Amino acid sequence: MSETITLSVDGEEITIEPKRTVAAALMLAAERPAWRRTRFNNEPRGLFCGIGVCFDCLVTVNGEASLRACLIPAEDGMVIETSERGTR
Amino acid sequence: MSKENSVRQKHCDVVVIGAGPAGLAAASQASGAGAQVLLIDQSLRPGGQFWRHASEEHDADPGRWHHGWNTYTQLAKVLERAIGTGRVEHLSGHHVLTGERTGTGLGLTVQPVPELADGVRGLITVEAPAVVLCPGAYDRQLPVPGWTLPGVMAAGGVQAFIKTQGAAPGRRAVLAGTGPFLLSAAASVIQAGGEVAAVCEAADLTGWVPHGVAAALVPSKGLEGAEYISLLAKHRVPYLRRTAVTAIHGEQRAEKVTVSRLDRHGAVVAGTEKHFNDVDLVGLGWGFVPQSELVVQFGAQTRIDIDGSLIGVVDTRQHSSVEGLYLAGEITGVAGATAAVAEGRIAGYAAAWMAGYRVRGARQAAAAQRDKILRANHRAFARAMHTAHPLPAGWESWMQEETTVCRCEEVPYHRIRESTETLSAQEPRGLKGTTRTGMGWCQGRICGAAAICLAKSSGDQRKEQAARAVAKRPLAAPVRLSDLAESRAQTRPLKAP
Amino acid sequence: MVPAVNASDVLVIGSGAVGAAIAYFCALRGLSVAVVDSGAVGSGTSSKCEGNLLVSDKEHGPELDLANYSLKLWQGELAEHSHLWEFENKGGIIVASQESSMASLQRALRVQREHGIRVEEIDVAELKRYEPNVTDEAVGAAFYPDDSQVMPMLVTAHLMRMASEAGAHMWPYTEVTGLLRSGDEVRGVITARGSFWADAVINAAGPWGGQLARLAGVNVPVEPRRGYVLVTEPMEPKIFRKVYAAEYIDNVGSSDGGLQASPVVEGTPAGSVLIGSSRERGGFDTTFNPEAIGRIATNAVKLFPFLAETRVLRYYFGFRPYVPDHVPVIGPDPRAPGLWHACGHEGAGIGLSVGTGKIISQAVAGEDTDLSLEVFSPTRFGELTEVAA
């Protein structure tokens, strides 16, 4: 499994193994433990339940907002926008 | 609403919701009896949370992360064959939004999981005479100072990550909460190359002593436990009993963990704090919460199980109080995958029977008998386990005024106390209305257990009402307004028996 | 827990916003007050609505007077508590998307203005300044600066807390099963927790008010009129006022029994958007009506196209206490002396609660009321025999 895929994360390209979820790509390759800020306290949030229950890991993928990063299989060319500096 | 949008008609007798251990068993049994089965599951691959795995092209040996993998591969093979013959339709990457009784059967609204949908939109309505609901469970959580920091995860989430990614979501972990699952999660971290600084078990484990017989009925569980213990010993991982993580520290992510001893009532013993530095992963789990919203939507009878979970009431055939609705797996009481498989088979058989597919014979009778014994033994084991691993009654002793209880709406502990003390919010619904606890994205799935405790609902009946109020989610998942707007005429009528 | 004999000056049946407001204003006056509710505080309609304080949907007459009077209280003697219940004087906008509806809106405006409602007609450019995300189909609109919003559950819980602090006693999970009578007089109520005696027994049971009146043998034709509300994911503010379509006013004023739906869309301080509304009469029907949900969603997307991609996290429905003439029932019932009514506020109960509470407290205390109770009289519907219920 030497092949890799490339994602864009907030404009930066990262190269990952194709089996990654978007959450895993952010954590393992982009070294981003958090990719969202809470709307009241501006706290960083990342992966919590890991199985689609808690909605803490929301992210925008290819322009579609509010998707759970833990559930999305990463695909070559995906454009990921986090709101770590926003206030979603 | 346009006609050309309406989905093709399907012949189907039994709908199975969930493709975990119970759902796979139910689908294989019902289709084996001759019924047309629609299997709806939110993941792309079958297996549920228990057998969650990467696809074969990405992981040549997914079995190495799993227990009971042989059972999975057998069930998966049966499923694949039944899909091949057209007996089962596997609607993967879909989840059920609503379930209700219709005049003629049971009705469901189903939508593609947006994260997996690849542009497919719209809702599907399904009606069938029999539904086997196998929704599984997720980690139960209790809040603790610092638990919203990145790097703090559900213990089950840690394991799910490892099973699908083949790597740990952190370098050095502390696992904490209660129950044997913590050991399983710790073993996964080690197996994935991570380090485990400690496993903190809130119970003192003497609770197991009176239940030796129940444990002996399920030798496989004992063996599994022994494997974990010896793995932890080999890696010199401290297994700290009557200990809880009582604070997690860090600026932008978890960096350090405080653990404390608990007294007999599960309250923190002052002065017993210990620190684990250089920890970037904390896995928390206090048992499991069955996904009960569809049971509540259907209006089926529920009760509070020994572990405090809201579960569906079923008869010996796994039939609920709602005609045609069968329940199997954790939704009838958290008891693990083996019980779930046995219940799934019983339910699948009964649902097919109800739909008119009746298989009789000595082999069938013997198999059914074996399933009933398996179910009974594993249920007895589960009762022993729940008794030995209770939620610590004194958990509020580690809360601080500002500790977040509801993660979605960022409701701090003190606001909940103010509400219960001065705004007469003595039940979760009042708490929700006055503080927004449970109103956010997760709809109270994560903070629900804490909300029930904090609302101080007392008495069994009041407790069940409180748990039902928390589980009352008219939509089982978020749905786009455009999908609701267009949903009305899209139906998928199914053949009556 | 319950004293053997519970006696008070005032007994309020129902702890919704109206019951809580009555308890508060009565207790403030020094009257002894007990409140009983079959469930938890505010667990009926008050926890299943939107918290509208509207003048824009009122026709001239007693309801408008009560709305204006209430608004003065919200912004006057209760203003110091505004932050507790997220009071927002955000203003309301009625959007017309067709020339014909604009014409009828203009006709309505003229009448409303004559009766003192503050309203200004605004053109599309102004509308877009108020609501940049509103539909491009809009042809015109009206802006009502006095329309306001509160969080209804917080209103109810805090009014009840303030009532308790003034000496009122709250009895949740205490269902009224019968009335204590002495001839025609009503002297108190019977509950599973014992009897509660009172000089004034006040029916603030909302949509259940009709049933309660029947216990006393009198006709107060309050019926439930179901309404759904959809709640979206939290978001950055994109909707700034209470925004509805011109058809909404017609539906509020109609008595049609079938399903009616017209869009009412508003943001909340917590970030989620509340989307209504539907109206159906069919008793306390709790079965799911996908038709209502679908029509609400369709209407909302027409008004704010960006909502198409917005996710709904949950919906709820409540039962408005509907009366045929859309005027609340407030005051003593001469047919059953000792019994008072304060119900039938339909979709306006949160907004009208404080005005209702205050004039009831004045009347119970034997003082002149700030508004005449005559027009709200419970006897205006005729005798019980007329309703074939």
Side-chain angles (χ1 to χ4, degrees):
Chain A
M1 233 175 307
S2 55
E3 79 182 279
T4 56
I5 58 173
T6 303
L7 315 180
S8 151
V9 178
D10 295 331
E12 283 171 37
E13 297 216 325
I14 59 167
T15 303
I16 57 162
E17 294 175 66
K19 70 177 172 187
R20 296 283 173 241
T21 60
V22 167
L26 287 166
M27 290 166 77
L28 300 176
E31 291 179 8
R32 298 268 294 262
W35 50 89
R36 189 175 73 88
R37 290 271 167 178
T38 60
R39 65 189 199 280
F40 297 120
N41 301 336
N42 199 34
E43 285 176 4
R45 293 281 174 89
L47 193 62
F48 180 68
C49 82
I51 58 171
V53 174
C54 77
F55 294 83
D56 244 359
C57 65
L58 295 179
V59 71
T60 299
V61 176
N62 296 341
E64 190 175 352
S66 306
L67 296 174
R68 290 163 289 182
C70 67
L71 295 185
I72 312 171
E75 282 170 21
D76 198 30
M78 242 177 197
V79 178
I80 296 163
E81 294 159 85
T82 77
S83 50
E84 201 180 352
R85 283 157 224 97
T87 48
R88 251 204 104 71
Chain B
M1 244 186 306
S2 51
K3 278 271 185 278
E4 57 274 22
N5 257 349
S6 73
V7 180
R8 62 226 182 263
Q9 290 205 355
K10 293 280 168 191
H11 295 296
C12 166
D13 308 297
V14 176
V15 177
V16 176
I17 302 171
L24 283 176
S28 89
Q29 198 73 8
S31 61
Q36 280 299 137
V37 175
L38 177 65
L39 174 62
I40 304 170
D41 186 54
Q42 56 184 7
S43 297
L44 291 178
R45 284 178 296 284
Q49 302 308 343
F50 187 73
W51 289 317
R52 190 180 258 261
H53 59 282
S55 72
E56 267 168 42
E57 73 182 280
H58 292 145
D59 190 343
D61 178 22
R64 73 200 143 115
W65 307 107
H66 291 274
H67 271 271
W69 189 248
N70 283 341
T71 311
Y72 169 73
T73 52
Q74 281 162 23
L75 286 168
K77 246 179 243 155
V78 174
L79 178 69
E80 215 169 292
R81 268 203 307 275
I83 292 170
T85 61
R87 197 40 61 79
V88 172
E89 186 195 348
H90 183 193
L91 199 54
S92 65
H94 282 70
H95 53 203
V96 177
L97 284 182
T98 65
E100 57 168 346
R101 283 181 261 199
T102 65
T104 48
L106 299 172
L108 304 170
T109 320
V110 181
Q111 82 168 342
V113 174
E115 286 80 0
L116 306 172
D118 234 352
V120 180
R121 305 283 289 256
L123 306 185
I124 304 166
T125 359
V126 175
E127 199 181 324
V131 169
V132 186
L133 177 59
C134 315
Y138 51 86
D139 301 80
R140 179 177 7 230
Q141 295 298 339
L142 289 177
V144 56
W147 74 311
T148 54
L149 286 169
V152 181
M153 291 180 64
V158 172
Q159 194 176 60
F161 190 100
I162 295 168
K163 284 173 174 177
T164 56
Q165 304 300 313
R171 206 172 24 75
R172 187 162 187 264
V174 168
L175 289 137
T178 193
F181 179 73
L182 296 176
L183 298 173
S184 169
S188 297
V189 172
I190 292 169
Q191 203 185 346
E195 185 189 339
V196 177
V199 177
C200 300
E201 166 59 63
D204 61 12
L205 304 187
T206 54
W208 278 103
V209 176
H211 299 283
V213 177
L217 287 171
V218 185
S220 61
K221 287 274 184 192
L223 212 61
E224 197 182 317
E227 273 174 39
Y228 295 142
I229 298 268
S230 79
L231 182 71
L232 295 193
K234 196 173 129 203
H235 287 81
R236 299 177 192 285
V237 176
Y239 185 35
L240 308 173
R241 287 144 209 210
R242 216 192 254 185
T243 303
V245 163
T246 47
I248 302 158
H249 317 271
E251 280 299 314
Q252 295 301 308
R253 59 162 306 147
E255 294 163 10
K256 182 178 143 183
V257 167
T258 302
V259 307
S260 307
R261 290 274 293 166
L262 304 180
D263 67 15
R264 276 189 307 132
H265 309 291
V268 172
V269 179
T272 58
E273 293 82 8
K274 264 203 275 192
H275 304 287
F276 289 92
N277 296 319
D278 192 27
V279 168
D280 64 349
L281 177 62
V282 182
L284 302 173
W286 298 90
F288 294 91
V289 182
Q291 298 256 28
S292 52
E293 58 265 359
L294 286 174
V295 177
V296 173
Q297 282 187 19
F298 274 116
Q301 206 186 329
T302 50
R303 66 177 176 85
I304 298 292
D305 199 16
I306 187 169
D307 65 343
S309 299
L310 184 74
I311 59 169
V313 175
V314 289
D315 65 13
T316 55
R317 300 165 303 132
Q318 303 295 131
H319 190 256
S320 74
S321 66
V322 170
E323 175 79 13
L325 180 65
Y326 297 81
L327 311 175
E330 313 295 43
I331 187 59
T332 67
V334 172
T338 310
V341 167
E343 290 180 355
R345 279 196 294 252
I346 293 168
Y349 181 79
W353 184 281
M354 189 199 162
Y357 299 88
R358 305 190 168 177
V359 184
R360 285 194 190 82
R363 244 184 85 218
Q364 182 58 46
Q369 215 50 42
R370 278 198 302 279
D371 281 334
K372 283 180 184 160
I373 292 167
L374 262 183
R375 175 176 66 183
N377 289 348
H378 279 261
R379 290 239 160 261
F381 178 87
R383 273 195 298 277
M385 180 187 76
H386 294 317
T387 312
H389 295 277
L391 277 192
W395 67 267
E396 277 186 66
S397 60
W398 65 66
M399 294 294 278
Q400 294 166 8
E401 293 294 295
E402 291 301 326
T403 305
T404 299
V405 174
C406 169
R407 299 171 64 97
C408 300
E409 298 300 307
E410 301 177 77
V411 183
Y413 180 56
H414 71 83
R415 217 188 305 153
I416 288 184
R417 288 244 312 270
E418 283 152 24
S419 186
T420 55
E421 284 162 16
T422 67
L423 294 182
S424 14
Q426 267 101 37
E427 28 90 52
R429 224 173 68 94
L431 204 54
K432 185 173 170 180
T434 54
T435 66
R436 306 192 56 81
T437 301
M439 259 196 200
W441 271 106
C442 89
Q443 291 288 290
R445 287 175 175 91
I446 304 298
C447 65
I452 291 169
C453 295
L454 295 173
K456 310 263 189 287
S457 317
S458 53
D460 276 356
Q461 205 194 335
R462 199 61 71 71
K463 245 186 203 145
E464 193 199 336
Q465 280 171 7
R468 271 188 91 105
V470 166
K472 190 178 169 196
R473 301 182 186 104
L475 296 168
V479 55
R480 289 184 196 89
L481 268 155
S482 56
D483 290 337
L484 284 178
E486 286 158 17
S487 70
R488 281 175 291 148
Q490 285 194 25
T491 53
R492 175 196 283 227
L494 298 170
K495 191 185 74 174
Chain C
M1 284 220 300
V2 184
V5 177
N6 192 317
S8 54
D9 298 327
V10 176
L11 176 93
V12 184
I13 303 166
S15 67
V18 172
I22 294 169
Y24 170 65
F25 283 107
C26 285
L28 267 195
R29 240 159 240 284
L31 296 165
S32 62
V33 180
V35 183
V36 294
D37 196 297
S38 62
V41 170
S43 56
T45 308
S46 296
S47 58
K48 290 159 182 163
C49 59
E50 292 179 292
N52 288 334
L53 276 51
L54 302 187
V55 294
S56 54
D57 65 344
K58 304 289 185 289
E59 293 169 26
H60 67 96
E63 210 198 356
L64 177 60
D65 296 341
L66 186 56
N68 281 327
Y69 175 65
S70 297
L71 200 57
K72 277 201 200 94
L73 294 175
W74 288 113
Q75 294 182 307
E77 68 175 280
L78 292 168
E80 59 176 302
H81 309 292
S82 288
H83 64 288
L84 295 175
W85 41 64
E86 300 176 359
F87 178 91
E88 275 189 284
N89 177 213
K90 60 181 6 182
I93 293 179
I94 299 184
V95 178
S97 297
Q98 283 163 11
E99 294 299 342
S100 61
S101 56
M102 191 61 214
S104 42
L105 181 59
Q106 282 162 335
R107 271 194 302 278
L109 295 190
R110 273 195 297 277
V111 179
Q112 286 182 317
R113 237 187 245 121
E114 280 165 24
H115 291 89
I117 293 181
R118 293 205 297 155
V119 54
E120 51 184 288
E121 195 183 322
I122 55 178
D123 62 19
V124 174
E126 273 174 292
L127 171 64
K128 284 280 183 181
R129 272 199 294 281
Y130 280 118
E131 296 292 345
N133 300 306
V134 81
T135 173
D136 293 336
E137 310 280 300
V139 296
F143 177 63
Y144 296 80
D146 290 325
D147 277 1
S148 304
Q149 180 176 329
V150 289
M151 205 294 203
M153 197 52 214
L154 286 172
V155 163
T156 308
H158 279 286
L159 281 175
M160 193 51 81
R161 172 187 59 77
M162 287 152 59
S164 301
E165 285 165 7
H169 285 276
M170 170 70 209
W171 301 96
Y173 301 103
T174 307
E175 188 174 359
V176 171
T177 54
L179 298 176
L180 297 162
R181 306 296 295 264
S182 162
D184 282 344
E185 282 183 47
V186 172
R187 307 287 305 279
V189 300
I190 303 164
T191 77
R193 298 219 213 182
S195 297
F196 291 77
W197 297 86
D199 295 337
V201 172
I202 301 174
N203 170 14
W208 296 273
Q211 293 173 13
L212 197 102
R214 275 200 290 281
L215 280 181
V218 296
N219 177 33
V220 176
V222 182
E223 263 185 71
R225 197 179 188 192
R226 181 161 80 162
Y228 279 96
V229 177
L230 311 185
V231 187
T232 71
E233 62 183 290
M235 61 181 88
E236 291 289 289
K238 285 184 182 157
I239 296 168
F240 302 91
R241 317 279 167 168
K242 299 176 92 72
V243 184
Y244 21 103
E247 312 93 76
Y248 178 71
I249 296 191
D250 293 338
N251 285 358
V252 172
S254 96
S255 302
D256 199 319
L259 171 68
Q260 298 175 301
S262 54
V264 182
V265 183
E266 63 196 285
T268 65
S272 40
V273 172
L274 302 182
I275 301 172
S277 68
S278 64
R279 285 164 196 269
E280 298 168 83
R281 277 163 56 202
F284 291 100
D285 179 7
T286 58
T287 56
F288 176 55
N289 183 353
E291 175 78 12
I293 298 278
R295 279 177 55 186
I296 291 172
T298 307
N299 289 337
V301 171
K302 268 191 212 150
L303 198 53
F304 284 101
F306 83 89
L307 286 173
E309 291 303 302
T310 300
R311 287 185 172 85
V312 174
L313 301 190
R314 64 193 176 103
Y315 68 79
Y316 55 84
F317 58 80
F319 296 102
R320 302 178 185 88
Y322 159 89
V323 283
D325 60 5
H326 308 284
V327 174
V329 185
I330 304 169
D333 194 326
R335 300 164 296 184
L339 179 65
W340 297 59
H341 302 286
C343 53
H345 297 72
E346 200 167 347
I350 303 296
L352 304 182
S353 64
V354 292
T356 304
K358 183 137 189 188
I359 56 176
I360 282 267
S361 75
Q362 291 165 340
V364 168
E367 298 169 15
D368 287 344
T369 51
D370 290 341
L371 293 179
S372 164
L373 293 182
E374 212 168 308
V375 281
F376 302 108
S377 167
T379 56
R380 67 184 192 261
F381 306 104
E383 290 312 308
L384 195 56
T385 46
E386 289 176 23
V387 282

